[in-house]
Amino acid sequence: DTEVTQTPKHLVMGMTNKKSLKCEQHMGHRAMYWYKQKAKKPPELMFVYSYEKLSINESVPSRFSPECPNSSLLNLHLHALQPEDSALYLCASSRDREAFFGQGTRLTVV
Amino acid sequence: DAKTTQPPSMDCAEGRAANLPCNHSTISGNEYVYWYRQIHSQGPQYIIHGLKNNETNEMASLIITEDRKSSTLILPHATLRDTAVYYCIVRAGTYKYIFGTGTRLKVLA
């Protein structure tokens, strides 16, 4: 099983809403990632968790809050987002070689 | 973190080899080069990676120059399904996969 599963696939939320994105992998990978991708741009790294601890935060605004409840799950909690936060949010996981990516959650902030 | 430079777009005839270049002149000695592709806003798909030596797998070949400042991804017999954005990545440290701007490859029938 080389799958990273992200839910939901699509999400529309208002600027005052609170929502969460979920990511799951069962490959035994100890590193998990969140990336943000705007249209026609490359994915940008947001956060990295290693062994369930946050190891990289690429100066992401606090309205994005990551959480790693266990080694298989990664959440991204969203609060008070702006329309410019609309993007494809990608989750990935890795052991010590290649990273595997999920299909993403397409987020629209209205 | 090492930065990568790729041509924005390339065309390739179906059945021919597609050669996608990448410049990574600031790469450090222990940083790996990875290639991914992304088809129409799906998640990026791993293709191949290498450190110093040339590498080949069932999808592609990776040629890294001796000074490691550039590399070329070779798709030996491109098909229409290979139309995608191809990203060259230098992995900084164990976890930092930093994407370059990518090359949009169009395979023509």
Side-chain angles (χ1 to χ4, degrees):
Chain A
D1 181 10
T2 58
E3 197 169 318
V4 175
T5 303
Q6 290 189 243
T7 55
K9 288 188 171 29
H10 300 275
L11 178 64
V12 179
M13 63 184 288
M15 289 188 283
T16 58
N17 291 160
K18 285 186 183 181
K19 296 285 185 183
S20 297
L21 310 184
K22 181 177 287 188
C23 174
E24 194 166 1
Q25 57 89 15
H26 296 287
M27 295 177 279
H29 291 171
R30 291 305 190 178
M32 295 187 76
Y33 310 73
W34 282 115
Y35 283 80
K36 173 182 177 179
Q37 186 175 26
K38 301 283 280 183
K40 298 192 186 303
K41 297 289 188 183
E44 294 177 11
L45 183 64
M46 299 174 72
F47 302 104
V48 181
Y49 272 82
S50 171
Y51 292 89
E52 301 166 45
K53 286 186 168 46
L54 183 65
S55 64
I56 296 176
N57 177 344
E58 293 285 270
S59 303
V60 179
S62 59
R63 58 186 184 269
F64 296 91
S65 175
E67 179 198 19
C68 189
N70 60 56
S71 59
S72 300
L73 281 176
L74 185 67
N75 298 321
L76 186 63
H77 302 298
L78 313 172
H79 173 55
L81 295 193
Q82 303 297 310
E84 58 264 29
D85 295 320
S86 297
L88 181 68
Y89 288 84
L90 294 160
C91 174
S93 71
S94 71
R95 197 193 309 269
D96 53 6
R97 296 194 337 157
E98 67 270 28
F100 291 88
F101 283 80
Q103 294 304 299
T105 294
R106 185 156 304 281
L107 174 69
T108 303
V109 181
V110 298
Chain B
D1 298 339
K3 186 178 173 181
T4 61
T5 305
Q6 300 175 251
S9 65
M10 292 181 65
D11 290 341
C12 177
E14 190 177 19
R16 304 298 292 269
N19 297 286
L20 293 97
C22 179
N23 182 290
H24 32 79
S25 57
T26 59
I27 194 170
S28 298
N30 60 350
E31 290 178 331
Y32 283 78
V33 178
Y34 284 75
W35 283 83
Y36 281 76
R37 71 182 183 185
Q38 191 172 27
I39 298 173
H40 193 55
S41 293
Q42 295 178 17
Q45 177 191 19
Y46 167 79
I47 301 173
I48 200 166
H49 76 281
L51 182 63
K52 296 181 185 176
N53 300 322
N54 299 337
E55 303 287 346
T56 295
N57 63 21
E58 64 278 4
M59 286 183 71
S61 295
L62 174 60
I63 308 297
I64 302 175
T65 58
E66 196 169 333
D67 63 7
R68 303 210 327 120
K69 291 184 185 302
S70 65
S71 60
T72 300
L73 177 75
I74 302 172
L75 308 178
H77 305 287
T79 71
L80 297 178
R81 287 180 295 180
D82 293 321
T83 292
V85 179
Y86 286 77
Y87 291 105
C88 171
I89 296 167
V90 171
R91 194 185 77 180
T94 306
Y95 303 123
K96 258 193 164 184
Y97 297 83
I98 305 298
F99 285 72
T101 51
T103 296
R104 190 170 298 271
L105 175 69
K106 184 184 285 187
V107 179
L108 306 171

